[in-house]
Amino acid sequence: MAFEFLTRRLELNSLQEQQALQYLEKHRVLDLLVHLTSSLLFHRPDKPRDFLLNILARIKIAKLTAVDFPYLMDDSNLISMFEIMDPTNQGFITPVQYKEALKNLGLLDPDEVIPEDGEVITRDDFRSDVNRRTFKLWSAF
């Protein structure tokens, strides 16, 4: 499946393949493609090409102006996601749950370590960190 190329480390045999991957990583092209694909699958528009072009245009406008970047999930989606991970309504999730959520959203760097014995994550912390990470992702393009 082509999507695997975007989400896992490849075993590269030639110097040319290694240089190609380094180029894609340097310019965060794979991150952009994963996020575009995630957005496409999340929204499932009738006209996928137009949808993708619209997102790319919004990214360009956001970089030139002070407009918000096109986020995959808005605050209500993030709150719903948090509530699914916190079914007993304790007001927090564990670092393990937090790490999995970031991984599912494509917002966890491959070499990033989140201590599993760290402090719990509140809903507001979750929401603000996901938004911060998403902004960081988009602003890299």
Side-chain angles (χ1 to χ4, degrees), residues 71-112:
Y71 294 109
L72 171 62
M73 301 181 85
D74 63 18
D75 275 349
S76 66
N77 298 129
L78 293 176
I79 290 169
S80 295
M81 184 178 196
F82 184 88
E83 289 172 350
I84 289 169
M85 293 183 290
D86 180 26
T88 58
N89 203 22
Q90 297 177 53
F92 64 85
I93 58 174
T94 67
V96 173
Q97 291 171 304
Y98 174 63
K99 179 180 176 180
E100 285 303 311
L102 292 177
K103 213 186 299 183
N104 289 333
L105 293 170
L107 297 174
L108 185 68
D109 292 330
D111 53 349
E112 183 177 0

Side-chain angles (χ1 to χ4, degrees), residues 22 37 39 43-44 50 60 77 117 126:
Q22 287 173 349
T37 304
S39 295
H43 294 287
R44 297 184 186 263
D50 290 344
K60 185 175 182 178
N77 298 129
D117 59 348
F126 176 76

Side-chain angles (χ1 to χ4, degrees), residues 10-28:
L10 298 174
E11 185 177 315
L12 304 175
N13 299 319
S14 74
L15 178 61
Q16 189 175 16
E17 289 173 335
Q18 291 172 358
Q19 289 173 337
L21 184 59
Q22 287 173 349
Y23 174 83
L24 294 173
E25 288 175 342
K26 177 183 176 186
H27 295 284
R28 302 197 62 178

Side-chain angles (χ1 to χ4, degrees), residues 35 39 55 58-59 62 68-72 134 138:
H35 202 77
S39 295
I55 289 178
R58 288 171 45 205
I59 293 170
D68 283 340
F69 285 91
Y71 294 109
L72 171 62
T134 304
W138 282 128

Side-chain angles (χ1 to χ4, degrees), residues 93-96 114-121:
I93 58 174
T94 67
V96 173
I114 295 179
E116 294 184 4
D117 59 348
E119 294 182 24
V120 295
I121 314 298

